[in-house]
Each structure stands twice: as structure tokens, then as C-alpha cells.
Amino acid sequence: MGLIDLGHEADPVLTRVVEEDKVKWWRKRNLRLLYLLLYPTCMGIEITSGFDSQMINGLQFIPAWNKYFGTSSLVKGKLVWNVTGSLLGIINASYNLGAILAVPVVPWVAQKVGRRWSIFIGSGFQCVGAVLQAFSQNTAMYIIARMTLGFGIVFCIVSGSAMLGELSYPKERPIMTSMFNASWFVGSLIAAGIVVKTANIHGDWSWRLPSILQACPSLVQMALVFFLPESPRYLISKDRREEAFDILVHYHAEGDRESVFVKAEMVQIETTIKIELEASKLTWMDMIRTPGMRRRTFIAAAMGLYTQWSGNTLISFYLGKILVMIGYTDTYTKTMINLGNTAWSFINGTIIAIISPRFKRRTMFLIGAIGMLCVYISWITAVRYSVAALDAGTTNKAAGIAVLFFIYSYSPWYNIGNNALAYTYMVEIFPYAERSRGISIEQFFVRGAGFFTTYINPIGMDGAGWKFLFMYIAMICCEILTIYFFYPETQGRTLEELAFLFEDESFADKATMAVEKEMHQGGDGMGEHVEVVEKRPVAGEEIGEKRSV
């Protein structure tokens, strides 16, 4: 488990009860309906992100887009228009820049108005951004449109991923949260297919049409999100205990108000949130106030960086430049290779998202990172021979095919950890009171690292060529070391059983005893009426405000 103390876990009382439930989710009417609603409203949020990255990747193949935003140059006596270098970098990176600007306000909005309203607000921003993007009149307007899209996506990702973890039945929660990132490939595949077709349109609608279609997933979220129940944990934190209990009964016990499991689950959630709020000021300083929170924050930051600095952005945004580097210059060939890679990523990403959560988290992260390292080392060897042949005026078809093979080989290894488990892990390591801020921190580093790489990649490839790939080999090596020494194991526990993973054992024991008492003695599932002191800074001092939990 590495060379540091990875903390402890509460006695998994409820986990053992869940394991005894052998009824499949599709045989539970209410739970089945809940999951059908969660897909388009929460699980499908990353469709927009996947659509965006693949659309920008595909638009680089379309002459009309390059002519509208790019500059001209003479290539073999022919006038060619291209968006290159720093301009291409800032167009791609502006999506992440907008997301960075949203991070400070997203947790406040999510806690103030709830998960559903936060998703609705973020989707609204994305619809506005898509319209601005489609009807952009110049580069500045296009960049602002993409910043607006990025600003909205963080609201949706933070609340949507949390909602999946907080509404799902514990047995299916890991798979539901792992499928969150897998929906990225759905959007990516759709965008790749659309761009292949619109590339044949003469004129600006070849790129304007895909741009406006980017609003479709967000419109679906806005239309359906209020058919979902609110997060029971959010309701409990707002003293709306009866509403939370009704939701748990309806979806986790199929309407059985006498369910021992739901009564115990209710007590566990209430007790855990009460303890969390006693120790939390609900400010950003909470993220570094204690050793446990500092460790969580470090893991969130590291995961955010490595999900973007593992070489994936090179393929997602600049596959066209890579293909030109190894001799593939025909537009149709490039779009079909891109479509094929996207379809392959969708297939393996979805399968891995279903399988990966069944195994230990830390092991899966390590396997994925080591696999990515092997792929990059092999890739850089093949691309070296391919480029050398082109520089000599010949072609090395074997090396070119090998490069394509390793590009296709990359996605399964990336998907094992960084895609399938990223949000599963974030939801698990952060307690409810700090979950929105924790995921926001991860998003800050995701977007910051994404901004850096999407801006630097074209500059680096133009300047260093294939040697630029060495940077990602170094980053993946750092990722492997970080996972090995700092990532704790979280598999096989409910969210409340993981809430005090890094804290004093007495906190976890208190919550466990409350659950055991409820299960052994019975009760109304509503827990004891207790007074909680929530500390808030007023006029430079801390005063206690009592409230019921």
C-alpha cells in the first residue's frame, strides 16, 4: 500500500447488508426509473465535454474553419489556410480557461440552491455558449463563446457527479459514477460522426452546424433535471429530514417505510453529516485545515493534473497534426482515422467503466498508468522511424502503421484509471460537507492542466516535433509514483463509511455505533433529535449557531 499511512475505514455495517441484497436493480421499479433519469441528466453531462474536444479536433480538418479563423501560407506553390501555433492553442484552451473562472463560485451555488439547480444553471451557460460559438463573427467572439461553454460545464460536472454518488443505491454507486466519464466518449463519437458529414458542406455551415448542435445535451439536461429528486444528503444538511427519508424509502426500498436498511442508511447519513458540520466552517480554508483534508486536497489536485498530463490531450485535440507528422495528409483519411479511434475509445471506455469499479481502485490506477507509459515509450520509438523516413524523402509504412496501433492502444490504459475511476474516487474520498469543494479543486487542476497542455501542445510539436512526446513519458512516471505512495484504497464501502478515512477513529466509530443501534433496536429511521453547533465567522469572531439535525 505504499510507504505512508493510508488511513482507516469504518466498520462496513451497511455494506454487508447491501451485499446480502440479491435483487438486481432492473427488477426494482423505482430504482430503475431513477437510473433512467440519471443518465441524461447527470451521467450524460460529460457528453458535452466529449463533443467539444472531438469537434475542435475535427474542425481542424475542415478548410472553411481554417480559412475563417486562420492565416494563409504557400505550400508547394499552393495557397493553404491553417489555424496553427498559439492561436490554435488559445482557441482550444479557452474552454478550460472559462472553467477555471467558474471554480470559486460552483461549491457555493451547489450548497445554496442544490444539485439540480446547479446543473440547470450550468446547462444554461452552455446553451448560450453554443449559440455564440455557432454565430461567431471573429476569433475574439469564438474564444468568448468557448469560455462561456467552459464556465457552464463545471457547474454540471461538480453537481452531476456528486448527485450520482448521493442518489444511487450503494451496490450500483461505483458503476454509476464510473459511467459518468464514459459518457465523454458518447459525445466524442457523435461529434466525430457529425464533423465527417458536415465537412462535405461548402461554406461556413460546415463548422457552424456542429457548433450549435453542441447545445443539444444541455437542453436535454435542462428539460429533465427537475424530474429527478434532490440529493438526500443535501436535504438533510438543510434540515429537510422528512423529504430526504421519503426519497430514500421510495428509491432504495421501493416504498417500504419499514425497511431496516433505509432506516439505518438514514441514521448513518444524519450522524455523519452532523459530525462533519461540527468540524467544518464550510469555507475554502476547510480544504487545508486538517491533515486529512490536506491529503484529500493533494490527491484531488494530483488527479486533476494527471487526467490531462498523461498524453490524452495530444490525441484528443491534435490527432490531425500527429497524422501529418507521419505522412497522412488527406482530409478524408484523417477524418476516418479519427472516427475509428473515437469509436474504439467509446467501446473500450464503456466496457472498462463497467468492469473497473469491481476491482481495487489503487490497483486499477497503477495498472492504467504503467500501461500508458509502455504505450508512449513504444509510440515514440515508432514515430521516430516514421519521421526519419519522411525527412529522407521516403516513407516507412511499417512505422506509420505502428504509430497508429499505439495511438489506438492508448485509450484502454487511460480509461482503466483516469477515466473510469476519476469521479468515483473523488466522490468516495471527500465527505459530504466538502464534496463540492473537493471536486471543484479537482476541476480547477483539470482545467488548469488542460489549458496549459492544449495551448502548449501545438507550440511544442511545431518546435520539437516527435521529441515533444518525451515530456509525457516524464509526466506518466511522476503519476505512477504519486499513485503508489499517496492514493488510499476505497473499494467496498458506502460514502459515509469512507467519510472519516483520514480522521480520528472515534468519528467513524460514532457513526458505526449509531447504525448498529438502529439495526439492532429498530426505530423510525429518523435518528435522534440533536443539536449541532455550526461555527461561522462573524465580525472577526466565531460564534455558534444551533440547528437541528
Side-chain angles (χ1 to χ4, degrees):
M1 293 293 290
L3 301 180
I4 65 169
D5 177 18
L6 293 176
H8 64 276
E9 298 161 345
D11 184 28
V13 179
L14 279 185
T15 298
R16 291 198 296 267
V17 176
V18 170
E19 289 173 351
E20 294 172 2
D21 180 5
K22 303 302 181 183
V23 181
K24 302 298 183 181
W25 66 267
W26 58 81
R27 299 182 64 184
K28 300 176 181 179
R29 181 178 179 275
N30 296 338
L31 192 62
R32 183 173 67 239
L33 176 62
L34 174 65
Y35 290 167
L36 289 174
L37 282 172
L38 279 172
Y39 186 83
T41 54
C42 295
M43 200 183 299
I45 281 170
E46 283 282 20
I47 290 175
T48 305
S49 293
F51 192 106
D52 183 84
S53 63
Q54 191 55 242
M55 181 191 69
I56 289 296
N57 197 5
L59 292 183
Q60 295 173 48
F61 305 146
I62 297 178
W65 185 81
N66 282 284
K67 186 175 182 179
Y68 199 91
F69 295 108
T71 55
S72 61
S73 60
L74 283 174
V75 178
K76 297 181 180 179
K78 184 180 179 182
L79 190 64
V80 176
W81 296 81
N82 277 304
V83 179
T84 58
S86 60
L87 177 58
L88 180 59
I90 195 63
I91 286 175
N92 287 340
S94 55
Y95 186 83
N96 287 317
L97 179 59
I100 292 170
L101 297 177
V103 167
V105 298
V106 167
W108 179 84
V109 172
Q111 187 61 23
K112 187 73 175 178
V113 300
R115 311 295 197 202
R116 294 182 301 177
W117 270 109
S118 182
I119 293 171
F120 185 88
I121 291 168
S123 298
F125 274 109
Q126 289 180 91
C127 289
V128 171
V131 172
L132 289 175
Q133 182 176 242
F135 295 100
S136 292
Q137 300 302 304
N138 50 54
T139 304
M141 185 175 177
Y142 195 76
I143 290 172
I144 290 171
R146 292 188 49 70
M147 288 178 65
T148 305
L149 284 162
F151 188 87
I153 193 64
V154 180
F155 287 86
C156 298
I157 287 176
V158 171
S159 291
S161 58
M163 193 80 137
L164 282 171
E166 293 167 5
L167 274 177
S168 298
Y169 188 65
K171 185 188 291 186
E172 289 86 38
R173 175 184 52 77
I175 293 178
M176 294 292 286
T177 49
S178 71
M179 288 294 289
F180 180 80
N181 248 355
S183 68
W184 188 96
F185 297 108
V186 177
S188 181
L189 183 61
I190 292 171
I194 289 172
V195 170
V196 166
K197 291 297 182 183
T198 62
N200 297 322
I201 298 174
H202 296 289
D204 293 338
W205 279 104
S206 59
W207 63 268
R208 292 188 189 274
L209 184 57
S211 297
I212 200 166
L213 289 176
Q214 190 170 347
C216 290
S218 299
L219 288 172
V220 171
Q221 289 153 23
M222 294 176 74
L224 297 179
V225 70
F226 290 107
F227 287 96
L228 274 179
E230 184 54 86
S231 163
R233 290 163 176 83
Y234 168 78
L235 295 173
I236 289 171
S237 74
K238 296 296 183 182
D239 293 331
R240 294 160 64 181
R241 304 161 67 245
E242 291 76 13
E243 294 175 61
F245 185 67
D246 288 343
I247 290 170
L248 291 174
V249 166
H250 186 71
Y251 293 106
H252 289 189
E254 295 298 299
D256 180 11
R257 300 187 69 85
E258 299 304 316
S259 167
V260 175
F261 170 76
V262 167
K263 290 179 180 180
E265 184 181 30
M266 183 72 181
V267 169
Q268 186 185 59
I269 294 172
E270 280 194 290
T271 305
T272 303
I273 290 179
K274 183 197 76 171
I275 296 170
E276 289 176 23
L277 292 178
E278 283 179 331
S280 172
K281 297 178 184 293
L282 297 178
T283 68
W284 283 105
M285 286 301 297
D286 287 339
M287 308 310 294
I288 57 173
R289 195 180 306 278
T290 65
M293 287 309 302
R294 287 194 289 272
R295 186 178 298 181
R296 290 184 179 95
T297 300
F298 171 77
I299 294 170
M303 185 168 293
L305 290 174
Y306 293 134
T307 56
Q308 300 299 304
W309 283 1
S310 299
N312 52 307
T313 55
L314 198 63
I315 299 172
S316 298
F317 287 91
Y318 302 108
L319 181 57
K321 292 181 74 67
I322 296 170
L323 294 177
V324 170
M325 188 185 295
I326 59 175
Y328 292 93
T329 57
D330 177 67
T331 298
Y332 178 78
T333 301
K334 289 189 292 183
T335 55
M336 292 310 294
I337 290 173
N338 181 47
L339 180 59
N341 185 53
T342 304
W344 164 238
S345 298
F346 166 71
I347 292 169
N348 73 69
T350 303
I351 294 172
I352 289 170
I354 295 172
I355 296 173
S356 193
R358 302 175 188 273
F359 299 94
K360 291 185 175 182
R361 313 286 189 250
R362 183 171 170 274
T363 301
M364 291 295 99
F365 277 117
L366 278 172
I367 290 173
I370 292 170
M372 288 188 293
L373 179 62
C374 293
V375 166
Y376 253 86
I377 292 172
S378 303
W379 178 5
I380 204 169
T381 303
V383 77
R384 174 188 176 188
Y385 287 106
S386 180
V387 172
L390 290 173
D391 290 342
T394 61
T395 58
N396 188 331
K397 290 185 177 180
I401 292 172
V403 170
L404 291 179
F405 173 79
F406 291 121
I407 288 173
Y408 275 63
S409 299
Y410 174 84
S411 64
W413 299 109
Y414 179 85
N415 291 338
I416 286 174
N418 287 341
N419 186 69
L421 296 177
Y423 291 103
T424 299
Y425 205 60
M426 286 295 97
V427 170
E428 288 177 344
I429 68 170
F430 281 99
Y432 169 79
E434 311 299 349
R435 189 164 293 138
S436 291
R437 287 182 179 82
I439 299 174
S440 293
I441 285 175
E442 187 259 358
Q443 278 293 294
F444 176 82
F445 282 91
V446 165
R447 303 304 168 177
F451 177 86
F452 178 82
T453 55
T454 51
Y455 183 75
I456 292 297
N457 279 339
I459 300 173
M461 284 189 289
D462 287 346
W466 63 271
K467 296 178 182 178
F468 183 67
L469 299 180
F470 278 112
M471 184 190 83
Y472 287 110
I473 290 177
M475 289 306 305
I476 296 171
C477 288
C478 292
E479 181 176 358
I480 292 170
L481 293 174
T482 303
I483 294 168
Y484 183 79
F485 287 111
F486 294 103
Y487 280 31
E489 186 52 64
T490 60
Q491 188 213 18
R493 298 292 186 269
T494 68
L495 297 184
E496 280 64 42
E497 288 164 357
L498 289 166
F500 307 112
L501 182 64
F502 300 127
E503 276 70 37
D504 191 294
E505 290 187 20
S506 62
F507 293 143
D509 292 341
K510 185 176 180 180
T512 300
M513 285 189 291
V515 174
E516 289 178 338
K517 180 179 178 182
E518 178 68 29
M519 294 181 68
H520 291 137
Q521 298 181 8
D524 62 0
M526 304 303 287
E528 298 179 5
H529 190 75
V530 295
E531 295 293 323
V532 180
V533 176
E534 180 180 354
K535 294 182 178 180
R536 297 181 181 176
V538 178
E541 298 181 357
E542 293 181 353
I543 65 172
E545 180 180 312
K546 292 186 177 181
R547 62 184 189 83
S548 299
V549 175

